Amino acid sequence: MDIYKRIKELEREIAVLPQGTINIKKINGKQQPYLQWTENGKSKSKYIKVKEREQIFAGVERRKQLQEELRELKDFYSSEPAPAVEEIKFETSVVTGQRLLAMTKGVKNWQERDCFKQLQQFLESDETDRVCLVFGLRRTGKTTMLRQAVLKMTSEQASKTAYIKAKATDTMASMNRDLEKLLEQGYENVFIDEVTLMSDFIDSAALFSDVYAVQGMKIVLSGTDSLGFWFALHQELYDRAITIHTTFIPFREHSRLLGIDSIDEYIRYGGTLRAGELAFDDDDVNAEDALFRDDESTRRYIDTAICKNIQHSLNCCQDGEYFRHLQSLYEAGELTGAINRIIEDMNHRFLLRILLSKFKSHDFGSAADVLRKDRNPDRRSDILDKIDTEAVTKRLMSLLDIRNKEEQSVGITNVHVEEIKEYLKALDLIVDIPEETIVPGAEPLENIIFTQPGMRYCQAQALVHALTKDELFASLSEYEKNMVSERILEEVRGRMMEEIVLLETYKSAKKQKRVFKLTFAVGEYDMVIYDAKENNCECYEIKHSDQIVPAQMRYLVDEEKLQQTEKRFGSIKKRCVLYRGKETALDNGIEYRNVEKYLKGL
């Protein structure tokens, strides 16, 4: 038996097993298991969830057995020198062997993204000539997927795998030299993380597919500059890449990964997995660690993950050729402000008109209208009509770092808007789901939806913060302040829930069915699912309520609207209200379905 080889095998297996011992604590009168270990001289512990217990208990026991065998082998082998291994000198940050296995420790108990299966399929396939691109905005699980891929490998596969953390100072020339060394040493899998940081990546990306993939090396490229990958796909890589997008995290996946079943929590914090790094049993920790917990964190995320992403990629691609009409804004230092402005208004119509006029929040105007018409007399108020809206608007602009047209040295045109929208779509940040209309002669309307709801919601909270600074608002009673603030956010959450359902149903249906909002001369269906093959449809109203109210279904029982819909989209096989309450079916044929169950079932 090769004892030295066995020692290395044991060390590799031990490295990926749970570290520490099981400690039983009495919490609220119940026995609860905790994993306890020492790290950097400090004692640490972690609660073991019910669904993880079997795996962790078995892993801890297995680790004990292997450690005992390892001690015996080392005692026996201590008098024999280990065979000399020639050290390879790399120019980039190459991680292999035990250091690579150590990187998997932190993710061994984490669940996997839905798209992780695509990465596994690529690594296990006989695919040649193509590389795999894993890209998305920050905190959407890219690097975690790479570490989980190593964790899933056998000892032999892991020994032939290398991980490279690219830096801005690296070049494709130095990367090429290191890949040559790895190929000579028999490495079969290479993960290159943050590859878009290299300024010459976009213009030289074909190196990975045309030189190394064709020789049998599986190369996975990951990075946060999604636009850089988009440019590379359109120029260098063409059809020589398999793409895995991580930016969009649907409710069902967010719920599964983080254990959060509330649609309101998804609205507040959805879009990233930042909080997934901590224990989700603690609501306070959850809120504190969420990227979209306040306006400052949201603005910082937009600036770093989106605005800098766009500008970095534009700078690195063919000497800035793709700045196109945005060059003047960039040179004036106003491109970030323009992107911020468009992001805040993207879910509303007439983008150009909004940009060219004084900034006005759609959420504010909508909330004022709703408060005036509230069915509950105790909540009905015209207080927002009395507030200094110009002052509030200025405060909101200050919070979001948005400039008025007269403050810009370069005017924003429709061309600027369309180019920024094109890049935001390339980042998977927005999706355009056109509205259909029954109105004769009317054209379908643009309906742009964000894939990161937490970002949108946090900007609405900034509006509420601006309201609280208003002189009249400050003179109100605490009850009135809370009522107005919550009514604004309730209206925002309702609109956002509609968009979330529409977006996720649209993505789930793909090419099999058409999903859209349907507008009439008066009123609308929040969502229609049309099956062209069967020539039938389903009509939905989406309400941010946990109560059944007759007004919610008024259009679903309106005979004129039902006839107009059937004339164009075939027989209506379902009329449904999606809301936050219990599921039930009414005598009039209207179904009430719980929105969280609906989204999880997609």
Side-chain angles (χ1 to χ4, degrees), residues 578-583 592-598:
L578 295 175
Y579 79 136
R580 295 183 297 122
K582 294 181 180 180
E583 298 194 339
Y592 268 76
R593 289 195 60 189
N594 178 270
V595 67
E596 288 138 345
K597 288 183 179 180
Y598 172 85

Side-chain angles (χ1 to χ4, degrees), residues 7 23 64 88 197 211 285 296 344 416 424 430 434 436 494 513 573:
I7 287 175
N23 183 24
K64 288 180 182 177
I88 306 172
L197 289 178
V211 177
V285 169
E296 178 59 31
E344 204 281 341
H416 293 139
L424 292 176
I430 61 173
E436 296 286 347
K513 298 177 182 179
K573 69 174 187 177

Side-chain angles (χ1 to χ4, degrees), residues 434-445 514 516-523 564 568-569:
E435 295 181 5
E436 296 286 347
T437 179
I438 295 293
V439 180
E443 293 292 326
L445 301 172
R514 284 175 56 197
F516 49 87
K517 178 180 287 190
L518 180 63
T519 60
F520 301 91
V522 176
Q564 289 176 327
R568 182 166 171 184
F569 298 108

Side-chain angles (χ1 to χ4, degrees), residues 287-490:
E288 289 173 4
D289 199 50
L291 279 176
F292 305 131
R293 65 188 181 275
D294 53 39
D295 181 58
E296 178 59 31
S297 64
T298 301
R299 180 171 42 172
R300 188 162 55 245
Y301 184 85
I302 292 173
D303 286 348
T304 59
I306 299 172
C307 297
K308 287 185 179 178
N309 183 325
I310 292 174
Q311 293 174 62
H312 175 266
S313 297
L314 292 176
N315 257 326
C316 293
C317 186
Q318 295 187 358
D319 297 323
E321 175 185 323
Y322 279 83
F323 270 112
R324 296 184 291 182
H325 297 89
L326 302 179
Q327 186 72 43
S328 55
L329 288 175
Y330 177 71
E331 291 174 351
E334 295 176 357
L335 183 53
T336 295
I339 295 170
N340 268 301
R341 177 185 285 254
I342 291 172
I343 286 174
E344 204 281 341
D345 273 318
M346 190 62 70
N347 286 332
H348 310 297
R349 301 173 190 174
F350 314 119
L351 290 178
L352 181 60
R353 180 180 64 79
I354 293 171
L355 288 169
L356 293 178
S357 63
K358 278 187 177 292
F359 183 88
K360 177 181 177 182
S361 170
H362 183 282
D363 295 330
F364 179 77
S366 176
D369 185 55
V370 170
L371 271 176
R372 284 193 300 271
K373 299 176 181 177
D374 201 303
R375 291 189 297 271
N376 186 340
D378 295 332
R379 296 174 60 179
R380 192 179 302 139
S381 172
D382 63 352
I383 188 65
L384 291 186
D385 296 322
K386 301 174 183 177
I387 288 176
D388 186 346
T389 56
E390 184 175 355
V392 171
T393 300
K394 286 182 178 178
R395 291 188 192 102
L396 180 59
M397 289 166 52
S398 176
L399 284 169
L400 300 178
D401 195 25
I402 296 172
R403 302 172 182 175
N404 273 330
K405 180 187 175 185
E406 60 267 23
E407 295 171 329
Q408 298 170 344
S409 59
V410 180
I412 299 177
T413 67
N414 193 43
V415 174
H416 293 139
V417 175
E418 292 306 313
E419 288 182 7
I420 290 174
K421 282 166 55 180
E422 180 184 359
Y423 294 145
L424 292 176
K425 286 179 183 178
L427 292 175
D428 294 321
L429 184 66
I430 61 173
V431 176
D432 187 5
I433 306 178
E435 295 181 5
E436 296 286 347
T437 179
I438 295 293
V439 180
E443 293 292 326
L445 301 172
E446 183 180 62
N447 184 32
I448 294 176
I449 298 177
F450 268 91
T451 61
Q452 291 191 311
M455 182 187 302
R456 178 75 184 95
Y457 185 74
C458 203
Q459 290 184 329
Q461 287 181 304
L463 167 64
V464 177
H465 178 73
L467 279 173
T468 62
K469 303 299 181 183
D470 181 82
E471 184 177 350
L472 174 59
F473 193 95
S475 68
L476 299 176
S477 69
E478 289 302 310
Y479 172 79
E480 289 177 308
K481 289 179 186 178
N482 292 334
M483 180 191 68
V484 173
S485 299
E486 178 54 31
R487 196 64 189 88
I488 295 172
L489 294 178
E490 174 70 18

